[in-house]
Amino acid sequence: MFDAIVFDLDGTLLDTIQDLANAANYVCRQNGWPQYTVDQYKYFVGNGIPKLVERFSPAEARTPERLAHTLDQFSRRYAAHKADVTAPYPGIPEALEQLRQAGVVLGVLSNKEDTLARAIVEQYFGSGIFAHVQGALPGLPVKPDPTTLRALLARPEFAGRRVLFVGDSDVDILTARNAGLPGCGVLWGFRTRQELESAGAAYIIQHPHQLVELAAI
């Protein structure tokens, strides 16, 4: 069985895409740039907010100075509107509580900036569900590099446990593989079954209650 599960955040625990898209399109409008659909933003996210900003910025606006300015624009707008429509996916709170009651240790690893990731998890899930929440840290590579995941796994809460990594994109499955863990892809998130299979997902699930079944294997 898996006695510990580490989750991606956006597209896995929380449906954040509309708020991210709204903030990004606000910045695009402010700068007179083309806007994008929510489905397009599903492929812009996954590698951290700086990369999202780079992807929606036109080529001529990708100098380091301009990207820094645009990142600040986006961060301010998103901070003010990050909870407009964001919510846990249906079934996630119930599955998390069942896993916690079964003694499974839970964690979160996000490419969102660390302070922001912690604040969002606290807002939607409180402080008693996850043993540790880890976001992106200055100077360290983000997923799919396994550095931050390995640091999380070295914590006493996770050391020596059989850990499953759960996410909605190839970034997450590759993160798991790079850290030597089985990866579980979820179909309620931002990406497709084909992407998850191609990345080498060990498991693919359609509903959060299947996480409880996986933990009992």
Side-chain angles (χ1 to χ4, degrees):
M1 64 174 290
F2 295 105
D3 54 1
I5 299 178
V6 179
F7 293 89
D8 168 55
L9 182 57
D10 296 55
T12 303
L13 295 173
L14 293 175
D15 187 357
T16 58
I17 196 64
Q18 188 68 61
D19 284 335
L20 287 164
N22 289 348
N25 278 337
Y26 170 83
V27 173
C28 290
R29 289 193 301 273
Q30 293 297 108
N31 289 287
W33 299 339
Q35 298 178 58
Y36 297 92
T37 67
V38 170
D39 282 343
Q40 287 174 304
Y41 279 112
K42 288 180 179 179
Y43 288 87
F44 287 0
V45 300
N47 298 96
I49 286 177
K51 181 58 71 172
L52 165 63
V53 168
E54 179 183 331
R55 286 168 175 160
F56 72 66
S57 297
E60 65 273 14
R62 293 180 181 173
T63 63
E65 296 79 10
R66 188 61 187 271
L67 284 173
H69 174 71
T70 306
L71 176 60
D72 182 65
Q73 281 185 295
F74 176 86
S75 297
R76 291 174 182 272
R77 181 69 179 185
Y78 184 60
H81 294 275
K82 66 182 183 297
D84 286 358
V85 296
T86 288
Y89 284 100
I92 282 291
E94 296 81 2
L96 293 176
E97 181 59 23
Q98 285 183 273
L99 289 165
R100 188 189 66 80
Q101 290 185 6
V104 178
V105 175
L106 305 176
V108 176
L109 180 66
S110 174
N111 275 345
K112 270 187 163 69
E113 186 272 329
D114 186 61
T115 302
L116 178 59
R118 291 172 185 268
I120 289 175
V121 171
E122 173 81 18
Q123 178 176 352
Y124 288 99
F125 301 105
S127 59
I129 292 290
F130 297 103
H132 188 66
V133 177
Q134 181 66 66
L137 295 170
L140 293 181
V142 296
K143 299 182 296 181
D145 186 283
T147 299
T148 50
L149 178 55
R150 285 175 176 158
L152 186 153
L153 296 177
R155 295 179 60 87
E157 306 97 312
F158 296 91
R161 293 183 178 271
R162 186 179 179 205
V163 182
L164 178 69
F165 191 84
V166 178
D168 70 302
S169 74
D170 58 348
V171 171
D172 300 307
I173 302 306
L174 292 172
T175 302
R177 293 182 63 187
N178 290 341
L181 299 181
C184 175
V186 306
L187 296 180
W188 57 79
F190 301 162
R191 304 291 179 83
T192 65
R193 176 185 288 273
Q194 181 180 1
E195 176 175 310
L196 297 169
E197 289 177 343
S198 296
Y203 308 94
I204 296 178
I205 60 175
Q206 295 181 324
H207 192 279
H209 69 72
Q210 292 175 277
L211 290 165
V212 182
E213 298 169 5
L214 272 179
I217 290 176

